[in-house]
Amino acid sequence: MKAICTLLIFFYTALAAPVNKPVDKVDLSRFAGKWYSLYSIPTIYDKGSRETTTTYTLNKDGYYNVFTACKKGDDDKIYTSKLFPEKDGDGEMKAQFLWPFKVDYWVIELDDDYQYVVVGHPEHKFLFIMSRKPFIDKKLYDEIVTRCKAKGYAVDKLTSQQHHG
């Protein structure tokens, strides 16, 4: 009987936990523009960067040209990449930093007014909390972190991008 109760609790918990998946709808035109990367679980390429901004420009071919600027040490760095929407307007996208390789890039949370976005990965490899402004309300940040933790992200690895604003 104890084993059955344990199994039931396990399945209930698994079913009740939020699923790590892309949002259902992204308006590509509204998503375009400048975003401040405020907090991240950095990738090997982002480690040590700060004050990161990313600008997405939707081109006529239906994908974004991406311009990322940040500081690393005393140096200003600039990177270009591409972002490809994958399905009919949902948050599943692929980032391409080096041709021909593409990486999953999921919009897992998006504000109704496109003022903040959370970008993740199907295997929880990275996480970015971005805003249209160089800051975010502490209460909202805490709520986002709680939701991301429930989806399986290692939120204790989040680092600040040290924007001043």
Side-chain angles (χ1 to χ4, degrees):
M1 184 63 161
K2 189 176 183 180
I4 293 172
C5 287
T6 302
L7 280 173
L8 288 173
I9 290 170
F10 172 77
F11 285 120
Y12 175 76
T13 304
L15 292 174
V19 178
N20 180 41
K21 65 178 186 140
V23 298
D24 293 331
K25 181 75 176 141
V26 175
D27 180 323
L28 299 180
S29 296
R30 290 183 73 193
F31 186 80
K34 183 176 183 177
W35 292 93
Y36 292 85
S37 180
L38 302 179
Y39 298 91
S40 65
I41 296 175
T43 67
I44 193 167
Y45 304 106
D46 307 306
K47 210 165 215 147
S49 64
R50 65 186 193 286
E51 299 178 44
T52 302
T53 60
T54 304
T55 304
Y56 300 88
T57 304
L58 188 60
N59 65 38
K60 63 180 174 52
D61 295 323
Y63 66 87
Y64 295 99
N65 294 310
V66 183
F67 177 85
T68 302
C70 68
K71 293 183 187 293
K72 274 195 171 186
D74 293 333
D75 298 329
D76 291 332
K77 300 284 185 179
I78 296 172
Y79 305 98
T80 59
S81 58
K82 296 176 181 176
L83 184 64
F84 298 88
E86 286 292 297
K87 295 186 178 174
D88 296 329
D90 74 356
E92 190 172 335
M93 301 186 194
K94 297 271 189 185
Q96 185 176 66
F97 302 100
L98 178 65
W99 184 86
F101 306 104
K102 293 181 182 176
V103 176
D104 288 311
Y105 187 97
W106 282 6
V107 175
I108 61 170
E109 191 169 320
L110 181 59
D111 177 52
D112 290 339
D113 294 326
Y114 287 68
Q115 293 305 299
Y116 77 87
V117 65
V118 182
V119 174
H121 185 272
E123 297 171 17
H124 306 93
K125 291 182 178 179
F126 57 78
L127 184 70
F128 298 95
I129 299 172
M130 300 188 292
S131 173
R132 295 292 188 180
K133 299 176 183 173
F135 59 88
I136 196 168
D137 178 76
K138 171 82 168 102
K139 182 178 181 231
L140 176 58
Y141 168 77
D142 290 342
E143 292 168 354
I144 292 170
V145 169
T146 298
R147 289 189 294 269
C148 289
K149 183 176 183 178
K151 292 176 185 178
Y153 287 92
V155 295
D156 57 315
K157 294 181 180 179
L158 279 170
T159 60
S160 170
Q161 283 286 307
Q162 304 171 16
H163 284 280
H164 306 286

mmCIF file of all heavy atoms in Angstrom, residues 132-148:
data_model
loop_
_atom_site.group_PDB
_atom_site.id
_atom_site.type_symbol
_atom_site.label_atom_id
_atom_site.label_comp_id
_atom_site.label_asym_id
_atom_site.label_seq_id
_atom_site.Cartn_x
_atom_site.Cartn_y
_atom_site.Cartn_z
ATOM 1 N N ARG A 132 12.831 44.780 -22.328
ATOM 2 C CA ARG A 132 13.015 45.922 -23.229
ATOM 3 C C ARG A 132 13.769 47.057 -22.539
ATOM 4 O O ARG A 132 14.250 47.975 -23.191
ATOM 5 C CB ARG A 132 11.662 46.442 -23.722
ATOM 6 C CG ARG A 132 10.899 45.471 -24.577
ATOM 7 C CD ARG A 132 11.562 45.221 -25.906
ATOM 8 N NE ARG A 132 10.678 44.426 -26.759
ATOM 9 C CZ ARG A 132 10.979 44.058 -27.971
ATOM 10 N NH1 ARG A 132 12.133 44.383 -28.503
ATOM 11 N NH2 ARG A 132 10.131 43.338 -28.670
ATOM 12 N N LYS A 133 13.864 46.977 -21.213
ATOM 13 C CA LYS A 133 14.569 47.988 -20.417
ATOM 14 C C LYS A 133 15.748 47.323 -19.708
ATOM 15 O O LYS A 133 15.760 46.097 -19.550
ATOM 16 C CB LYS A 133 13.615 48.590 -19.383
ATOM 17 C CG LYS A 133 12.434 49.287 -20.001
ATOM 18 C CD LYS A 133 11.479 49.776 -18.932
ATOM 19 C CE LYS A 133 10.255 50.421 -19.580
ATOM 20 N NZ LYS A 133 9.233 50.763 -18.606
ATOM 21 N N PRO A 134 16.716 48.099 -19.247
ATOM 22 C CA PRO A 134 17.884 47.502 -18.597
ATOM 23 C C PRO A 134 17.633 47.062 -17.149
ATOM 24 O O PRO A 134 18.574 46.908 -16.368
ATOM 25 C CB PRO A 134 18.927 48.614 -18.669
ATOM 26 C CG PRO A 134 18.149 49.865 -18.730
ATOM 27 C CD PRO A 134 16.886 49.529 -19.485
ATOM 28 N N PHE A 135 16.386 46.853 -16.792
ATOM 29 C CA PHE A 135 16.040 46.414 -15.438
ATOM 30 C C PHE A 135 14.697 45.702 -15.483
ATOM 31 O O PHE A 135 13.973 45.791 -16.480
ATOM 32 C CB PHE A 135 15.962 47.609 -14.475
ATOM 33 C CG PHE A 135 14.947 48.635 -14.898
ATOM 34 C CD1 PHE A 135 13.619 48.536 -14.500
ATOM 35 C CD2 PHE A 135 15.301 49.695 -15.721
ATOM 36 C CE1 PHE A 135 12.673 49.464 -14.905
ATOM 37 C CE2 PHE A 135 14.361 50.624 -16.132
ATOM 38 C CZ PHE A 135 13.046 50.513 -15.726
ATOM 39 N N ILE A 136 14.382 44.999 -14.391
ATOM 40 C CA ILE A 136 13.097 44.334 -14.252
ATOM 41 C C ILE A 136 12.689 44.439 -12.792
ATOM 42 O O ILE A 136 13.543 44.438 -11.897
ATOM 43 C CB ILE A 136 13.180 42.863 -14.737
ATOM 44 C CG1 ILE A 136 11.800 42.274 -14.978
ATOM 45 C CG2 ILE A 136 13.994 42.013 -13.804
ATOM 46 C CD1 ILE A 136 11.823 40.940 -15.732
ATOM 47 N N ASP A 137 11.412 44.523 -12.554
ATOM 48 C CA ASP A 137 10.879 44.602 -11.207
ATOM 49 C C ASP A 137 11.288 43.356 -10.418
ATOM 50 O O ASP A 137 11.189 42.236 -10.928
ATOM 51 C CB ASP A 137 9.345 44.720 -11.297
ATOM 52 C CG ASP A 137 8.694 44.769 -9.940
ATOM 53 O OD1 ASP A 137 8.769 45.828 -9.294
ATOM 54 O OD2 ASP A 137 8.115 43.730 -9.537
ATOM 55 N N LYS A 138 11.743 43.533 -9.186
ATOM 56 C CA LYS A 138 12.204 42.425 -8.338
ATOM 57 C C LYS A 138 11.126 41.365 -8.152
ATOM 58 O O LYS A 138 11.397 40.162 -8.226
ATOM 59 C CB LYS A 138 12.665 42.982 -6.981
ATOM 60 C CG LYS A 138 12.970 41.929 -5.936
ATOM 61 C CD LYS A 138 14.348 41.352 -6.106
ATOM 62 C CE LYS A 138 14.763 40.532 -4.896
ATOM 63 N NZ LYS A 138 14.664 39.113 -5.055
ATOM 64 N N LYS A 139 9.886 41.793 -7.929
ATOM 65 C CA LYS A 139 8.790 40.833 -7.728
ATOM 66 C C LYS A 139 8.574 39.993 -8.991
ATOM 67 O O LYS A 139 8.416 38.776 -8.921
ATOM 68 C CB LYS A 139 7.506 41.573 -7.351
ATOM 69 C CG LYS A 139 6.333 40.647 -7.084
ATOM 70 C CD LYS A 139 5.096 41.427 -6.667
ATOM 71 C CE LYS A 139 3.961 40.472 -6.381
ATOM 72 N NZ LYS A 139 2.743 40.792 -7.045
ATOM 73 N N LEU A 140 8.577 40.639 -10.151
ATOM 74 C CA LEU A 140 8.426 39.919 -11.413
ATOM 75 C C LEU A 140 9.589 38.957 -11.622
ATOM 76 O O LEU A 140 9.392 37.799 -12.015
ATOM 77 C CB LEU A 140 8.318 40.897 -12.586
ATOM 78 C CG LEU A 140 8.251 40.280 -13.975
ATOM 79 C CD1 LEU A 140 7.064 39.332 -14.117
ATOM 80 C CD2 LEU A 140 8.195 41.377 -15.038
ATOM 81 N N TYR A 141 10.795 39.412 -11.347
ATOM 82 C CA TYR A 141 11.967 38.544 -11.475
ATOM 83 C C TYR A 141 11.810 37.297 -10.600
ATOM 84 O O TYR A 141 12.027 36.173 -11.064
ATOM 85 C CB TYR A 141 13.244 39.304 -11.093
ATOM 86 C CG TYR A 141 14.441 38.407 -10.935
ATOM 87 C CD1 TYR A 141 15.108 37.913 -12.056
ATOM 88 C CD2 TYR A 141 14.900 38.029 -9.683
ATOM 89 C CE1 TYR A 141 16.199 37.057 -11.920
ATOM 90 C CE2 TYR A 141 15.989 37.182 -9.540
ATOM 91 C CZ TYR A 141 16.637 36.709 -10.653
ATOM 92 O OH TYR A 141 17.703 35.860 -10.520
ATOM 93 N N ASP A 142 11.422 37.484 -9.351
ATOM 94 C CA ASP A 142 11.239 36.354 -8.435
ATOM 95 C C ASP A 142 10.181 35.382 -8.951
ATOM 96 O O ASP A 142 10.346 34.162 -8.856
ATOM 97 C CB ASP A 142 10.865 36.841 -7.030
ATOM 98 C CG ASP A 142 12.019 37.544 -6.327
ATOM 99 O OD1 ASP A 142 13.185 37.366 -6.741
ATOM 100 O OD2 ASP A 142 11.740 38.288 -5.364
ATOM 101 N N GLU A 143 9.094 35.910 -9.513
ATOM 102 C CA GLU A 143 8.038 35.058 -10.063
ATOM 103 C C GLU A 143 8.546 34.258 -11.267
ATOM 104 O O GLU A 143 8.254 33.063 -11.403
ATOM 105 C CB GLU A 143 6.831 35.906 -10.465
ATOM 106 C CG GLU A 143 6.098 36.521 -9.291
ATOM 107 C CD GLU A 143 5.082 37.587 -9.690
ATOM 108 O OE1 GLU A 143 5.010 37.945 -10.901
ATOM 109 O OE2 GLU A 143 4.372 38.078 -8.797
ATOM 110 N N ILE A 144 9.306 34.904 -12.138
ATOM 111 C CA ILE A 144 9.876 34.222 -13.313
ATOM 112 C C ILE A 144 10.813 33.108 -12.858
ATOM 113 O O ILE A 144 10.754 31.985 -13.366
ATOM 114 C CB ILE A 144 10.620 35.224 -14.229
ATOM 115 C CG1 ILE A 144 9.629 36.181 -14.885
ATOM 116 C CG2 ILE A 144 11.453 34.488 -15.279
ATOM 117 C CD1 ILE A 144 10.285 37.357 -15.603
ATOM 118 N N VAL A 145 11.669 33.411 -11.896
ATOM 119 C CA VAL A 145 12.625 32.415 -11.397
ATOM 120 C C VAL A 145 11.888 31.216 -10.796
ATOM 121 O O VAL A 145 12.258 30.064 -11.042
ATOM 122 C CB VAL A 145 13.600 33.055 -10.383
ATOM 123 C CG1 VAL A 145 14.414 31.992 -9.653
ATOM 124 C CG2 VAL A 145 14.524 34.041 -11.091
ATOM 125 N N THR A 146 10.829 31.478 -10.051
ATOM 126 C CA THR A 146 10.042 30.393 -9.463
ATOM 127 C C THR A 146 9.455 29.499 -10.552
ATOM 128 O O THR A 146 9.509 28.262 -10.464
ATOM 129 C CB THR A 146 8.926 30.966 -8.568
ATOM 130 O OG1 THR A 146 9.524 31.693 -7.496
ATOM 131 C CG2 THR A 146 8.034 29.873 -8.009
ATOM 132 N N ARG A 147 8.907 30.109 -11.605
ATOM 133 C CA ARG A 147 8.335 29.320 -12.702
ATOM 134 C C ARG A 147 9.417 28.521 -13.443
ATOM 135 O O ARG A 147 9.214 27.363 -13.813
ATOM 136 C CB ARG A 147 7.566 30.226 -13.666
ATOM 137 C CG ARG A 147 6.273 30.768 -13.090
ATOM 138 C CD ARG A 147 5.431 31.476 -14.111
ATOM 139 N NE ARG A 147 6.000 32.694 -14.646
ATOM 140 C CZ ARG A 147 5.811 33.918 -14.137
ATOM 141 N NH1 ARG A 147 5.066 34.089 -13.064
ATOM 142 N NH2 ARG A 147 6.365 34.967 -14.713
ATOM 143 N N CYS A 148 10.580 29.140 -13.643
ATOM 144 C CA CYS A 148 11.668 28.449 -14.344
ATOM 145 C C CYS A 148 12.205 27.288 -13.518
ATOM 146 O O CYS A 148 12.527 26.229 -14.064
ATOM 147 C CB CYS A 148 12.779 29.437 -14.691
ATOM 148 S SG CYS A 148 12.309 30.601 -15.986
#
